[in-house]
Coordinates of all heavy atoms in Angstrom, one line a residue:
M1 N 0.8 -1.2 0.0 CA 0.0 0.0 0.0 C 0.9 1.2 0.0 O 1.9 1.3 0.7 CB -0.9 0.0 1.2 CG -1.6 1.3 1.5 SD -2.7 1.3 2.9 CE -4.1 0.4 2.4
Q2 N 0.5 2.2 -0.9 CA 1.2 3.5 -0.9 C 0.2 4.6 -0.8 O -0.8 4.6 -1.5 CB 2.0 3.6 -2.3 CG 2.9 4.7 -2.4 CD 4.2 4.5 -1.6 OE1 4.6 3.4 -1.4 NE2 4.7 5.6 -1.0
I3 N 0.5 5.6 0.1 CA -0.4 6.7 0.3 C 0.1 8.0 -0.2 O 1.3 8.2 0.0 CB -0.7 6.8 1.8 CG1 -1.2 5.5 2.5 CG2 -1.7 7.9 2.1 CD1 -1.2 5.6 4.0
T4 N -0.7 8.7 -0.9 CA -0.3 10.1 -1.2 C -1.4 11.1 -0.7 O -2.6 10.7 -0.6 CB -0.1 10.3 -2.7 OG1 -1.3 9.9 -3.4 CG2 1.1 9.5 -3.2
L5 N -1.0 12.3 -0.4 CA -2.0 13.3 0.1 C -1.9 14.5 -0.8 O -0.9 14.9 -1.3 CB -1.5 13.8 1.5 CG -1.5 12.8 2.6 CD1 -1.0 13.5 3.9 CD2 -2.9 12.1 2.8
D6 N -3.1 15.1 -1.0 CA -3.2 16.4 -1.6 C -3.6 17.4 -0.5 O -4.7 17.8 -0.4 CB -4.3 16.4 -2.7 CG -4.3 17.6 -3.5 OD1 -3.6 18.6 -3.2 OD2 -5.1 17.7 -4.5
A7 N -2.5 17.7 0.3 CA -2.8 18.5 1.5 C -3.4 19.9 1.2 O -4.0 20.5 2.1 CB -1.5 18.6 2.3
D8 N -3.2 20.4 0.0 CA -3.8 21.7 -0.3 C -5.3 21.7 -0.2 O -6.0 22.7 0.1 CB -3.5 22.1 -1.7 CG -2.0 22.5 -1.9 OD1 -1.3 22.7 -0.8 OD2 -1.5 22.6 -3.0
K9 N -5.9 20.5 -0.3 CA -7.4 20.4 -0.2 C -7.9 20.1 1.2 O -9.1 20.1 1.5 CB -7.9 19.2 -1.1 CG -7.7 19.5 -2.6 CD -8.5 18.5 -3.5 CE -8.1 17.1 -3.3 NZ -8.7 16.2 -4.2
C10 N -6.9 19.8 2.1 CA -7.3 19.4 3.5 C -8.0 20.5 4.2 O -7.6 21.6 4.2 CB -6.0 19.0 4.2 SG -6.3 18.6 6.0
C11 N -9.2 20.2 4.8 CA -10.0 21.1 5.6 C -9.8 20.9 7.1 O -10.6 21.5 7.9 CB -11.4 21.1 5.1 SG -12.2 19.5 5.5
A12 N -8.8 20.1 7.4 CA -8.4 20.0 8.8 C -9.5 19.4 9.7 O -9.6 19.7 10.9 CB -7.9 21.3 9.4
A13 N -10.3 18.5 9.1 CA -11.4 17.9 9.9 C -10.9 16.9 10.9 O -11.6 16.7 11.9 CB -12.4 17.3 8.9
G14 N -9.8 16.3 10.6 CA -9.2 15.4 11.6 C -9.7 14.0 11.6 O -9.3 13.2 12.5
Q15 N -10.6 13.6 10.7 CA -11.2 12.3 10.7 C -10.1 11.2 10.5 O -10.1 10.2 11.1 CB -12.2 12.1 9.5 CG -13.3 13.2 9.5 CD -14.3 12.9 10.6 OE1 -14.1 12.1 11.4 NE2 -15.4 13.7 10.5
C16 N -9.1 11.5 9.6 CA -8.0 10.6 9.3 C -7.2 10.3 10.6 O -6.8 9.1 10.8 CB -7.1 11.1 8.2 SG -6.4 12.7 8.6
V17 N -7.0 11.3 11.4 CA -6.2 11.1 12.6 C -6.9 10.3 13.6 O -6.3 9.4 14.3 CB -5.8 12.5 13.2 CG1 -4.9 12.3 14.4 CG2 -5.0 13.3 12.1
L18 N -8.2 10.4 13.7 CA -9.0 9.7 14.6 C -9.0 8.2 14.3 O -9.0 7.3 15.1 CB -10.5 10.2 14.7 CG -10.7 11.6 15.3 CD1 -12.1 12.0 15.1 CD2 -10.3 11.6 16.7
V19 N -9.1 7.9 13.0 CA -9.2 6.5 12.5 C -7.8 5.8 12.4 O -7.7 4.6 12.7 CB -9.9 6.5 11.1 CG1 -9.9 5.1 10.5 CG2 -11.3 7.0 11.3
A20 N -6.8 6.6 12.0 CA -5.5 5.9 11.8 C -4.4 6.8 12.4 O -3.6 7.4 11.6 CB -5.3 5.7 10.3
P21 N -4.3 7.0 13.7 CA -3.3 7.9 14.3 C -1.9 7.5 14.1 O -1.0 8.4 14.3 CB -3.7 7.9 15.8 CG -4.4 6.6 16.0 CD -5.1 6.3 14.7
E22 N -1.6 6.3 13.7 CA -0.2 5.9 13.5 C 0.3 6.3 12.1 O 1.4 6.2 11.8 CB 0.0 4.4 13.7 CG -0.2 4.1 15.2 CD 0.0 2.6 15.5 OE1 0.8 2.0 14.9 OE2 -0.8 2.1 16.4
V23 N -0.7 6.7 11.2 CA -0.4 7.0 9.8 C -0.5 8.4 9.5 O 0.2 9.0 8.7 CB -1.3 6.1 8.9 CG1 -0.9 6.4 7.4 CG2 -1.1 4.6 9.2
F24 N -1.5 9.1 10.2 CA -1.8 10.5 9.9 C -1.7 11.3 11.2 O -2.0 10.9 12.3 CB -3.2 10.7 9.4 CG -3.5 9.9 8.1 CD1 -4.2 8.7 8.2 CD2 -3.0 10.3 6.9 CE1 -4.5 8.0 7.1 CE2 -3.3 9.5 5.8 CZ -4.0 8.4 5.8
D25 N -1.2 12.6 11.0 CA -1.2 13.5 12.1 C -1.6 14.9 11.5 O -1.9 15.0 10.3 CB 0.2 13.6 12.7 CG 0.3 14.2 14.1 OD1 -0.8 14.6 14.6 OD2 1.3 14.3 14.7
Q26 N -1.8 15.8 12.4 CA -2.2 17.2 11.9 C -1.1 18.2 12.4 O -0.6 18.1 13.6 CB -3.5 17.6 12.5 CG -4.7 16.8 11.9 CD -6.0 17.2 12.5 OE1 -6.3 16.6 13.6 NE2 -6.8 18.1 11.9
R27 N -0.8 19.2 11.6 CA 0.1 20.2 11.9 C -0.4 21.0 13.1 O -1.6 21.3 13.2 CB 0.3 21.2 10.8 CG 1.0 20.5 9.6 CD 1.7 21.6 8.7 NE 0.7 22.6 8.2 CZ 0.7 23.0 6.9 NH1 1.4 22.4 6.0 NH2 -0.2 23.9 6.5
E28 N 0.5 21.3 14.0 CA 0.1 22.1 15.2 C -0.6 23.4 14.9 O -1.6 23.8 15.4 CB 1.4 22.4 16.0 CG 2.0 21.2 16.7 CD 1.3 20.9 18.0 OE1 0.7 21.7 18.6 OE2 1.4 19.7 18.4
E29 N 0.0 24.1 13.9 CA -0.4 25.5 13.6 C -1.8 25.6 13.0 O -2.5 26.5 13.3 CB 0.7 26.3 12.9 CG 1.0 25.7 11.5 CD 2.1 24.7 11.5 OE1 2.2 24.0 12.5 OE2 2.8 24.6 10.4
D30 N -2.1 24.7 12.1 CA -3.4 24.9 11.3 C -4.2 23.6 11.2 O -5.3 23.7 10.5 CB -3.1 25.5 10.0 CG -2.1 24.7 9.1 OD1 -1.8 23.6 9.6 OD2 -1.6 25.2 8.1
G31 N -3.7 22.5 11.7 CA -4.5 21.3 11.6 C -4.5 20.6 10.3 O -5.1 19.5 10.1
V32 N -3.7 21.0 9.4 CA -3.6 20.4 8.1 C -2.9 19.0 8.2 O -1.9 18.9 9.0 CB -2.8 21.3 7.0 CG1 -2.5 20.5 5.8 CG2 -3.7 22.5 6.7
V33 N -3.3 18.1 7.5 CA -2.8 16.7 7.6 C -1.3 16.6 7.3 O -0.8 17.2 6.5 CB -3.7 15.7 6.7 CG1 -3.4 16.0 5.2 CG2 -3.4 14.3 7.0
E34 N -0.7 15.6 8.1 CA 0.7 15.2 7.8 C 0.7 13.7 7.7 O 0.0 13.0 8.5 CB 1.6 15.7 9.0 CG 1.8 17.1 9.1 CD 2.8 17.4 10.2 OE1 2.6 16.9 11.3 OE2 3.7 18.2 9.9
L35 N 1.5 13.2 6.8 CA 1.7 11.8 6.6 C 2.8 11.3 7.4 O 4.0 11.7 7.2 CB 1.9 11.5 5.1 CG 1.8 10.1 4.6 CD1 0.5 9.4 5.1 CD2 1.9 10.0 3.1
L36 N 2.6 10.4 8.3 CA 3.6 9.8 9.2 C 4.3 8.6 8.5 O 5.4 8.3 8.8 CB 3.0 9.4 10.6 CG 2.4 10.5 11.4 CD1 1.8 10.0 12.7 CD2 3.4 11.6 11.7
D37 N 3.5 7.9 7.7 CA 4.0 6.6 7.1 C 3.3 6.4 5.8 O 2.1 6.1 5.7 CB 3.6 5.5 8.1 CG 4.3 4.2 7.7 OD1 4.9 4.1 6.5 OD2 4.3 3.2 8.4
A38 N 4.1 6.7 4.7 CA 3.5 6.6 3.3 C 3.3 5.2 2.9 O 2.6 4.9 1.9 CB 4.4 7.3 2.4
A39 N 3.9 4.2 3.5 CA 3.8 2.8 3.2 C 3.6 2.0 4.4 O 4.5 1.3 4.9 CB 5.0 2.3 2.4
P40 N 2.4 2.1 5.0 CA 2.2 1.5 6.3 C 2.1 0.0 6.3 O 1.8 -0.6 5.2 CB 0.8 2.1 6.8 CG 0.1 2.4 5.5 CD 1.2 2.8 4.5
P41 N 2.4 -0.7 7.4 CA 2.3 -2.2 7.5 C 0.8 -2.7 7.3 O -0.1 -1.9 7.5 CB 2.9 -2.5 8.9 CG 2.7 -1.2 9.7 CD 2.8 -0.1 8.7
A42 N 0.7 -3.9 7.0 CA -0.6 -4.5 6.7 C -1.6 -4.3 7.8 O -2.8 -4.1 7.4 CB -0.4 -6.0 6.5
E43 N -1.2 -4.3 9.0 CA -2.3 -4.1 10.1 C -2.9 -2.8 10.1 O -3.9 -2.6 10.7 CB -1.7 -4.5 11.5 CG -0.6 -3.6 11.9 CD 0.8 -4.2 11.6 OE1 0.9 -5.0 10.7 OE2 1.8 -3.8 12.3
Q44 N -2.3 -1.8 9.4 CA -2.8 -0.5 9.3 C -3.8 -0.3 8.1 O -4.4 0.8 8.0 CB -1.7 0.6 9.2 CG -0.9 0.6 10.5 CD -1.6 1.3 11.6 OE1 -2.5 2.1 11.4 NE2 -1.3 0.8 12.8
H45 N -3.8 -1.2 7.2 CA -4.4 -1.0 5.9 C -5.9 -0.7 6.0 O -6.5 0.2 5.3 CB -4.1 -2.2 4.9 CG -2.7 -2.2 4.4 ND1 -2.3 -3.1 3.5 CD2 -1.6 -1.4 4.8 CE1 -1.0 -2.9 3.3 NE2 -0.6 -1.9 4.1
D46 N -6.6 -1.5 6.8 CA -8.1 -1.3 7.0 C -8.4 0.1 7.5 O -9.3 0.8 7.0 CB -8.7 -2.3 7.9 CG -8.9 -3.7 7.2 OD1 -8.7 -3.7 6.0 OD2 -9.1 -4.6 7.9
A47 N -7.6 0.6 8.5 CA -7.8 1.9 9.0 C -7.5 3.0 8.0 O -8.2 4.0 7.9 CB -6.9 2.1 10.3
V48 N -6.5 2.8 7.2 CA -6.1 3.8 6.1 C -7.2 3.8 5.1 O -7.6 4.9 4.7 CB -4.8 3.4 5.5 CG1 -4.5 4.3 4.2 CG2 -3.6 3.6 6.5
R49 N -7.8 2.7 4.7 CA -8.9 2.7 3.7 C -10.1 3.4 4.3 O -10.8 4.2 3.6 CB -9.2 1.3 3.3 CG -8.2 0.6 2.5 CD -8.7 -0.7 2.0 NE -7.6 -1.6 1.5 CZ -7.1 -2.6 2.2 NH1 -7.6 -2.9 3.4 NH2 -6.0 -3.2 1.8
E50 N -10.4 3.2 5.6 CA -11.5 3.9 6.3 C -11.2 5.4 6.3 O -12.1 6.2 6.1 CB -11.7 3.3 7.7 CG -13.0 3.8 8.3 CD -13.2 3.2 9.7 OE1 -12.4 2.3 10.1 OE2 -14.1 3.7 10.4
A51 N -10.0 5.8 6.6 CA -9.7 7.2 6.7 C -9.9 7.8 5.3 O -10.4 8.9 5.2 CB -8.2 7.4 7.2
A52 N -9.4 7.2 4.3 CA -9.6 7.7 2.9 C -11.1 7.9 2.6 O -11.5 8.9 2.0 CB -8.9 6.8 1.9
A53 N -11.9 6.9 3.0 CA -13.3 6.9 2.7 C -14.0 8.0 3.5 O -15.0 8.6 3.0 CB -14.0 5.6 3.0
L54 N -13.6 8.3 4.7 CA -14.2 9.3 5.6 C -13.8 10.7 5.3 O -14.5 11.6 5.6 CB -13.9 8.9 7.1 CG -14.6 7.7 7.7 CD1 -14.0 7.5 9.1 CD2 -16.1 8.0 7.8
C55 N -12.6 10.9 4.7 CA -12.1 12.2 4.5 C -13.1 13.1 3.7 O -13.4 12.7 2.6 CB -10.7 12.1 3.8 SG -10.1 13.8 3.4
P56 N -13.6 14.2 4.3 CA -14.6 14.9 3.6 C -14.1 15.7 2.4 O -14.9 16.2 1.6 CB -15.1 15.9 4.7 CG -13.9 16.0 5.6 CD -13.2 14.7 5.6
A57 N -12.8 15.8 2.2 CA -12.2 16.6 1.1 C -11.5 15.7 0.1 O -10.8 16.2 -0.8 CB -11.2 17.7 1.7
A58 N -11.6 14.4 0.3 CA -10.9 13.5 -0.7 C -9.4 13.8 -0.9 O -8.9 13.8 -2.0 CB -11.6 13.5 -2.0
V59 N -8.8 14.0 0.3 CA -7.3 14.3 0.3 C -6.5 13.1 0.1 O -5.4 13.1 -0.5 CB -7.0 15.0 1.6 CG1 -5.5 15.2 1.8 CG2 -7.7 16.4 1.7
I60 N -6.9 12.0 0.7 CA -6.1 10.8 0.8 C -6.3 9.8 -0.4 O -7.4 9.4 -0.6 CB -6.5 10.0 2.1 CG1 -6.3 11.0 3.3 CG2 -5.6 8.8 2.3 CD1 -7.0 10.5 4.6
E61 N -5.2 9.6 -1.1 CA -5.2 8.6 -2.2 C -4.4 7.4 -1.8 O -3.3 7.5 -1.3 CB -4.6 9.2 -3.5 CG -4.7 8.3 -4.7 CD -4.2 8.9 -5.9 OE1 -4.1 10.1 -6.0 OE2 -3.8 8.1 -6.8
V62 N -5.0 6.2 -2.0 CA -4.4 4.9 -1.6 C -4.3 4.1 -2.8 O -5.2 3.9 -3.6 CB -5.3 4.2 -0.6 CG1 -4.7 2.8 -0.3 CG2 -5.5 5.0 0.7
R63 N -3.0 3.6 -3.0 CA -2.7 2.7 -4.1 C -2.4 1.4 -3.5 O -1.5 1.3 -2.6 CB -1.6 3.2 -5.0 CG -2.1 4.1 -6.1 CD -1.0 4.7 -6.9 NE -0.3 5.7 -6.0 CZ 1.0 6.1 -6.1 NH1 1.8 5.4 -6.9 NH2 1.5 7.0 -5.3
E64 N -3.0 0.3 -3.9 CA -2.8 -1.0 -3.3 C -1.6 -1.7 -3.9 O -1.3 -1.5 -5.1 CB -4.0 -1.9 -3.4 CG -5.3 -1.2 -2.8 CD -5.3 -1.3 -1.2 OE1 -4.4 -2.0 -0.6 OE2 -6.1 -0.6 -0.6
Ligands
SF4_101 S1 -9.8 13.7 7.1 FE1 -9.1 14.7 5.2 S2 -9.7 16.8 5.5 FE2 -9.7 15.9 7.5 S3 -7.6 16.3 8.3 FE3 -7.6 14.3 7.3 S4 -6.9 14.7 5.2 FE4 -7.5 16.6 6.1

């Protein structure tokens, strides 16, 4: 799995961090998403897919 972000579209809703806190974080200053692990281990994959589905701004792109 490979993750890419289009952080310019991020509205800092934080859904991704709630669902997959080991993969996503938010910048202190404005809450914009940060990617902690662009190629997470298998046990994170379901959470990453859920985060991508929940993101209200379609920021998270997942390639399997
Ligand atoms: S869920 Fe989407 S819009 Fe919200 S912080 Fe994460 S990437 Fe940004």
